[in-house]
Amino acid sequence: MIILGVDPGTLVTGYGVIETSGKGQSSFRAIEFGTIESKKISSMPKRLGTIFTRIGAVIKRNSPDEFAIETAFYDKNAQSAMKLGQARGVALVAAQLAEIEIAEYAPRVIKKAVTGNGNADKSQVEFMVRRLLNLAEHDRKLADAYDALAIAITHALRRGTGSKSSKSWKDFVANNPERIKK
């Protein structure tokens, strides 16, 4: 299964495409990841157009089966929240027009899924994403791309294409033998 994760932003939008074969966390493979930077574009409509066009191009290149995006979070600044909502909107429209199944995850859910800690910071998320996808250390400016990869990983885990969910430790061990150290 191919999953496109998107970390929306009006200045920098991260995207990450992974493939998973459904045999635990070791089955994740990064296909493509990067950022869409629109800092130098002065008008909001042009920024949104750039995000829409570039996400559409990523979709066309990779033909993802599913699309996952971070939910909007509410900040003290209403203007920032509105701008973030617009970036989310154009990314969602790009996925919808491509008729891809869409899922949304809260930031705390993503952090918990990838690091085990819902309050993890960006460096912890990046470390775990690099470890899960066996990626070399990259330039720090790709933090938004690592966040997008984390969103895609979260979706894979939540959809059961990664490790299976378990109701008890006994079930966890039975469902995820590759994650148990002996």
Side-chain angles (χ1 to χ4, degrees), residues 5-6 20 25 27 40 46 53 68 88 111 128 130 133 135:
V6 174
T20 181
Q25 290 179 351
S27 67
K40 296 178 181 173
K46 288 181 181 177
T53 302
R88 286 185 77 252
K111 291 174 183 179
M128 286 306 297
R130 280 192 287 111
L133 295 173
L135 299 174

Side-chain angles (χ1 to χ4, degrees), residues 57-101:
V58 171
I59 291 169
K60 188 172 185 176
R61 278 193 307 274
N62 295 286
S63 302
D65 301 298
E66 297 185 3
F67 176 95
I69 191 167
E70 188 174 69
T71 60
F73 62 91
Y74 300 98
D75 197 0
K76 294 175 186 171
N77 184 337
Q79 187 73 5
S80 294
M82 287 176 57
K83 288 178 182 177
L84 177 61
Q86 291 173 336
R88 286 185 77 252
V90 297
L92 288 166
V93 168
Q96 183 60 43
L97 289 175
E99 299 180 350
I100 303 170
E101 184 178 329

Side-chain angles (χ1 to χ4, degrees), residues 11-12 31 44-45 56-57 67 77 94 99-100 105 113 119-120 152 161-163 165 167 169 171 174:
L11 298 178
V12 180
I31 296 174
M44 181 59 78
F67 176 95
N77 184 337
E99 299 180 350
I100 303 170
Y105 298 98
N119 294 318
T161 55
S163 61
S165 66
K167 294 180 180 175
W169 280 109
D171 288 344

Side-chain angles (χ1 to χ4, degrees), residues 98-176:
E99 299 180 350
I100 303 170
E101 184 178 329
I102 298 169
E104 299 177 62
Y105 298 98
R108 287 179 62 92
V109 170
I110 296 161
K111 291 174 183 179
K112 178 125 174 112
V114 175
T115 70
N117 176 2
N119 294 318
D121 64 28
K122 278 195 174 286
S123 66
Q124 292 170 307
V125 171
E126 177 184 332
F127 174 82
M128 286 306 297
V129 166
R130 280 192 287 111
R131 187 164 179 203
L132 290 168
L133 295 173
N134 198 26
L135 299 174
E137 193 159 345
H138 287 283
D139 199 339
R140 298 304 264 182
K141 68 182 180 185
L142 289 178
D144 296 289
Y146 286 118
D147 288 346
L149 288 167
I151 294 163
I153 290 168
T154 299
H155 184 65
L157 292 170
R158 290 294 193 117
R159 295 285 294 155
T161 55
S163 61
K164 299 175 185 175
S165 66
S166 307
K167 294 180 180 175
S168 69
W169 280 109
K170 184 178 178 182
D171 288 344
F172 178 84
V173 171
N175 291 337
N176 301 283

